[in-house]
Structures are given as structure tokens and as C-alpha cells.
Amino acid sequence: MKTTLFSREVGYGKEDVAELETASVKVQLIYDKTLFMLHSHLPASLWNASFGVPYSIISSLYKGNGDGGTVFQKWIQGPSGWKCIGCERHCLEQGEAEREADLSDQPRTYTFHNGRRQSLILQAVIWALFEKTLMLHPFLGGDTFLDCDDLETISAYFVPTYVNDVRFQELDKPCKAYTDTNVRVFQEWIAAPDLVLQWDGGLTEGRWMTGVYVNEAKFAGLGPYLKDAAGKRTYMEAYVQ
């Protein structure tokens, strides 16, 4: 079923907004604790090969701050409810030479990060921890990295994500392959509502995605957008019905 809009405004029910407000913060806290755990235990060489961003930079990607912008979580209202498929936050990492010396008279260099690659890795790690915790929970007792609240949040809002597609082939489930970020990650395909936007004399069709802004572990608003077949986004404004 397609939803047709005649303006760049999309309505959300009060219950949906309340659920996203609570769920987005819970998801963010799981991102943060998992990232901190990985940084504490991974050798520097493996961290750099996997994440490719210093912890001081990537941790701010997910925590957010008032000056640098907010985290942008990507949600889909699928057949089984709201699901978070990842998050983004754009930032610039100053070049190493500029950090180590005062080179104010020379052009500065920066590396752009959007957090997409790191988000996919975190999704895969969190899902692996979730499955292993469920399997070994009778033997681990209460001494687990993911507590009961975390397990409930992951079960309700995260999407199965792996570093290969073997599990999806076994279950005969569709998945999306992300191979353009120097890592191979496969995530279960979640059907998003079809949306047609007719405005300014034009017509755009695509999938109805819901962005959720989170800043310093606090809900900071909704940012819905239409994503067409080529991946282009048309951002819209949300209102509460």
C-alpha cells in the first residue's frame, strides 16, 4: 500500500512518537557501551583496521554534542514494528600533522566521516553479542555484558546483521549487502512503507524512512525522509497527529 503526500509534511501518531523517543535513547546507550567495550579490548591495529577512526572522534559521533551536531538514527516502521537499521553523524577529523604541530601558515587537511561504516560494524557486533548471550545465558547467570533491558531493546528494535550472508541463506530471508565501506556487512531487509510525494509540480517515489535525532543521549526530534531507488533522500517535516 502506497501513501501519497501533497506536501513535504508527514504525520506521526502520538504513540509512535512516544515509542521512538524512548527507544532511540535506549538504542543509543547500547551503541555507546558497545563502542567503549570494543575500544577497551581491541588491539590498536585491529581497531584501526575495523573502525578507521580514533576513539575520540568516533565516540563523539554517537554521543553527540551541542556544538558538533546530533546523531541521526535511521528507523523503519516495518511489518513487525519500529526497527533501527543504523545511524550517522557527519564530522571532520583534523589531519595528524596539524594536531602535532602549529602549522597555522599552511592549508589544513581534514578527513570526512559520516559514521556509516562504524555504525554497520557496531550493528553486527551488537547482534552477535545478543545471539551469544541468549544462547549462553543459562550458564552465564547475571554476569553478562548485555543486561535484560539491553536484550529486550535489541530484540525489539535492532535488525539481524552479520559479516556474511550464510545465516540469511539458511533462513531463506532477504538481506542487503553493504560492501562499499571497506567492510562487508549483511543486514536483514526490512520492508519500509512505499511513499509518493507530489509537490512543486513533480512526483517522487520511494521508501518512507524516519530519522531520529539524538543529542547527548536525549531525544532531539524526528527527521523523516523519502529514499528513492537511487538512494537519494528527500527530507520532510514531521508533525504529531
Side-chain angles (χ1 to χ4, degrees):
M1 179 178 177
K2 290 186 178 181
T3 299
T4 301
L5 299 177
F6 297 96
S7 70
R8 293 174 64 174
E9 294 183 339
V10 58
Y12 289 83
K14 292 181 180 180
E15 292 184 357
D16 287 325
V17 175
E19 182 177 1
L20 288 171
E21 182 174 356
T22 301
S24 61
V25 173
K26 291 181 178 180
V27 166
Q28 200 62 47
L29 293 176
I30 293 174
Y31 276 141
D32 290 343
K33 70 182 290 185
T34 304
L35 189 68
F36 179 78
M37 179 271 291
L38 291 173
H39 178 257
S40 301
H41 293 87
L42 286 181
S45 58
L46 185 54
W47 172 274
N48 292 333
S50 301
F51 287 92
V53 185
Y55 178 72
S56 59
I57 298 293
I58 191 60
S59 62
S60 71
L61 283 176
Y62 294 105
K63 287 183 171 60
N65 59 68
D67 296 328
T70 57
V71 177
F72 186 74
Q73 296 180 356
K74 296 175 288 187
W75 289 75
I76 294 175
Q77 190 174 30
S80 58
W82 287 104
K83 299 293 182 182
C84 180
I85 63 171
C87 67
E88 300 174 358
R89 178 169 175 258
H90 298 175
C91 74
L92 294 176
E93 177 190 359
Q94 189 175 358
E96 184 175 353
E98 286 85 347
R99 291 197 303 268
E100 296 179 351
D102 182 11
L103 301 176
S104 56
D105 59 336
Q106 298 184 17
R108 295 186 177 183
T109 61
Y110 294 90
T111 301
F112 173 76
H113 301 292
N114 63 13
R116 182 167 173 263
R117 168 185 173 181
Q118 295 77 21
S119 171
L120 288 170
I121 295 172
L122 276 179
Q123 293 276 127
V125 170
I126 290 168
W127 193 258
L129 289 170
F130 169 71
E131 289 191 325
K132 287 178 171 56
T133 302
L134 289 182
M135 180 175 62
L136 300 174
H137 197 270
F139 307 100
L140 297 174
D143 188 19
T144 59
F145 174 73
L146 298 173
D147 60 29
C148 291
D149 289 340
D150 293 334
L151 295 176
E152 289 182 5
T153 297
I154 295 169
S155 176
Y157 299 116
F158 278 71
V159 179
T161 308
Y162 303 93
V163 295
N164 58 56
D165 63 349
V166 173
R167 185 60 174 161
F168 296 116
Q169 291 183 16
E170 293 175 346
L171 298 175
D172 194 26
K173 284 189 173 182
C175 67
K176 181 173 181 179
Y178 295 91
T179 59
D180 58 340
T181 57
N182 296 324
V183 294
R184 292 176 60 85
V185 176
F186 298 82
Q187 188 174 73
E188 181 178 331
W189 174 260
I190 304 297
D194 293 322
L195 185 65
V196 177
L197 178 60
Q198 297 185 25
W199 61 290
D200 287 351
L203 184 147
T204 305
E205 295 188 57
R207 306 171 71 213
W208 178 359
M209 310 289 291
T210 297
V212 179
Y213 295 100
V214 180
N215 186 32
E216 297 182 333
K218 296 180 181 178
F219 174 77
L222 299 179
Y225 60 97
L226 182 153
K227 185 176 182 180
D228 66 19
K232 182 181 178 181
R233 298 178 182 179
T234 300
Y235 288 93
M236 299 178 289
E237 295 184 6
Y239 67 90
V240 180
Q241 295 177 331

